Structures are given as structure tokens and as C-alpha cells.
Amino acid sequence: MSERAIALTGGDAAYFDLMHDCIASLRATPGGRALALGVLDCGLTDEQRAWCREQGAELVVPQWDFAFPGRAALKDGYKALTARPFLPRYFPGFDLYFWIDADCWVQQGDAIDLFLTAARTGALAVAPEIHRSMRHYHHAWGEFSAVCGAAYEACFDKETAERLIRYPMINAGVFALAADAPHWAGWADVYDAALQRSTDLTDQLALNVLVYDKGLRHEPLPSRCNWPVHHATPAWDAARGLFVEPAMPYEALGILHLTIYTKRLATLDVREIGGPHAGQVRPRALRWPGRTAI
């Protein structure tokens, strides 16, 4: 039987502008078009649902998969986080699951291929937040370690925080995993326990504990496969018309992740590589360039 793989994303109506670009950029690549498509509908409008279905998406409304303190105060969009350990249950019948956060967009489809190839080995395919250009391994280490360390301690304990803050942060925003991998159940168990203590970064930190403390196998992919923009603003290669790593040899980014505040900015100050403005830093939008008004 041929392998069945699905790409998944999700969010609510307020996130749809980003989700639109995520799905459209995915469908603009040959590899992305070859995948089935699923959307966790956490409060989309009828018009937004119709657009998703036009792209071939199956929509599923997730439930609250965990009981935890403070749940009643959270918006339904939070379910896009808590539902992820249960993706094979929400979208049954697939061999491989490729999750991509709605605030990501695909620039080069080879990144998708790499995630799926890694997941076929039985490992969790992820891209750790580590690169020679990223600010939190230079001048911003104090800020990063304080914020993420406090979140680790809130979710787990001080000893876990002091130990794991030194490991490269595994970003849970883009990953691929086989349907029969033990990671799903393991992630759910760790996530459930952590949610009893905190809802801050809990999904991602639980995944890091699963890998680093529980020892479940992962395949760390290059940062270009899931580039967190707030850690290092990409450069723009004018000759290739692509966003690239901001350090030589300027490899093209596969997936840009508009993390934290960067998703709200119309432009960022981007250094240009080659072309008439080579070496200059100029304002440039980091949204998917193929986007149209919606």
C-alpha cells in the first residue's frame, strides 16, 4: 500500500490571515500539494471554512483533550496546542503527520521533504532553535534563559529548568511524526502533568522533556527548516529572490516562522545580499510574497 501523509495546521478566526498564507504557501510547492490537508477549526468563520475546503482541507473541531486549572479562561484557539498530541485520533488513517503552525509559511518545499524523510525513521522530526546567527546564543542569552527558565520551572521544577535551559530548544511549531510512534502518548502524558502547573509554553517544553529527559528519539533538522524570525531576522538575497540565513554561505530558508511579535509587524529591517542595495538594511515585509488580499 502507498504511504499516506497529511499536513496539518489550525487556529481561530483571528489567526486566519496567517493561516491563509501558511496553507497557500504549502500548496504552492509540489511536495505540499501531494499531501492531504487537515485544519483544526478552533473558531473559524463560515467564509474561512469554505476557503479551507476549497484548498482540499478536512476540518475538525478539536475538544479540550486535558482537564487543567484555568482552562475555562482560555480561548478556543488554545486547543490548537492541546490537540496536537492527538492528531492521529482527529485525522485517522495516515502514516505520517506533518504539523505546521499557522504563523509559518513555506518558502522552499525541500524542507517538507526533509521532515517527512526524518519521520519515516521513527524519530520525531524537529528543528532546534540553534544557529550561529541567533541572538539568544549571543547578546540575548540572559533574556532567553530567564524567560524560558521561568517557564520550565513553572511547568516542572527548578532542577529541570536549570538542566534543560542549556539544551537547544526544540520548537514544536513544525514537526513530523509517524502514526505509530510512541511519542504521541509520551507527549500527552508529560503535557498533561505540566498543564496542572502552568499553561505558559507548556506544549513545547513538554516536548523538550520528552526528548531530553525521557529519551524518545528525535532527528534534529537544520534551523532553515523552521526559522524563528524573532531569534534572527533573515537576510534577503536579491539575485535569488529568497530569504536566506543571515550568515555565509546564506543558505535559503525552507520555512519561515513568524514567532512572537514578528507576526504583527508590517516590515522588519532586513539586510540585502547582492543586487543594487547589497549590504544595506532596508524595511521589508516577511510575509509570504505570494499572498493576495483576502
Side-chain angles (χ1 to χ4, degrees):
M1 294 178 63
S2 61
E3 174 187 88
R4 297 193 68 208
I6 185 170
L8 299 153
T9 191
D12 58 16
Y15 234 59
F16 181 72
D17 187 51
L18 291 161
M19 189 191 302
H20 174 281
D21 289 1
C22 176
I23 292 173
S25 69
L26 184 75
R27 287 309 206 201
T29 69
R33 287 192 298 272
L35 299 175
L37 179 63
V39 172
L40 291 174
D41 177 358
C42 300
L44 299 175
T45 67
D46 288 342
E47 182 180 6
Q48 292 165 351
R49 293 186 188 102
W51 183 87
C52 290
R53 291 190 179 102
E54 288 172 2
Q55 313 313 307
E58 175 188 356
L59 276 71
V60 172
V61 177
Q63 305 304 308
W64 284 115
D65 291 292
F66 302 101
F68 55 93
R71 191 180 76 177
L74 296 173
K75 296 180 179 179
D76 281 350
Y78 197 83
K79 294 176 184 176
L81 302 179
T82 57
R84 284 181 296 164
F86 308 99
L87 292 176
R89 188 186 75 204
Y90 282 116
F91 299 90
F94 294 92
D95 302 298
L96 293 176
Y97 292 81
F98 171 71
W99 173 269
I100 179 168
D101 277 1
D103 56 0
C104 299
W105 61 271
V106 181
Q107 178 174 246
Q108 291 200 309
D110 66 321
I112 302 170
D113 298 336
L114 192 52
F115 272 104
L116 296 176
T117 298
R120 289 187 187 103
T121 70
L124 170 69
V126 286
E129 297 177 356
I130 183 168
H131 188 273
R132 60 194 179 278
S133 300
M134 292 184 179
R135 56 191 286 275
H136 60 306
Y137 291 106
H138 299 284
H139 63 280
W141 171 252
E143 173 194 343
F144 172 82
S145 59
V147 171
C148 294
Y152 263 126
E153 186 170 351
C155 289
F156 300 101
D157 52 53
K158 186 176 180 65
E159 189 272 336
T160 299
E162 291 177 346
R163 184 178 67 259
L164 294 192
I165 195 61
R166 301 178 182 277
Y167 285 72
M169 180 68 76
I170 291 171
N171 189 293
V174 187
F175 67 87
L177 190 59
D180 58 358
H183 304 65
W184 300 108
W187 188 12
D189 288 344
V190 177
Y191 196 178
D192 188 13
L195 280 169
Q196 308 312 311
R197 297 169 56 100
S198 174
T199 57
D200 180 22
L201 282 176
T202 316
D203 64 307
Q204 181 159 292
L205 299 185
L207 198 62
N208 279 261
V209 167
L210 184 72
V211 167
Y212 294 133
D213 276 359
K214 305 298 183 183
L216 272 75
R217 193 157 60 94
H218 77 298
E219 186 65 46
L221 301 180
S223 296
R224 62 173 296 275
C225 292
N226 177 10
W227 189 267
V229 171
H230 81 285
H231 282 321
T233 303
W236 174 253
D237 187 319
R240 288 185 285 173
L242 293 171
F243 288 106
V244 298
E245 295 177 347
M248 294 179 70
Y250 307 118
E251 291 192 34
L253 300 181
I255 296 174
L256 280 78
H257 194 162
L258 301 178
T259 40
I260 313 182
Y261 61 88
T262 64
K263 64 177 63 64
R264 301 188 297 270
L265 301 179
T267 62
L268 280 83
D269 292 335
V270 175
R271 182 164 58 95
E272 303 219 358
I273 307 299
H277 305 290
Q280 296 183 23
V281 175
R282 308 173 75 229
R284 179 176 290 275
L286 266 76
R287 296 290 295 273
W288 180 52
R291 73 192 313 265
T292 56
I294 59 174

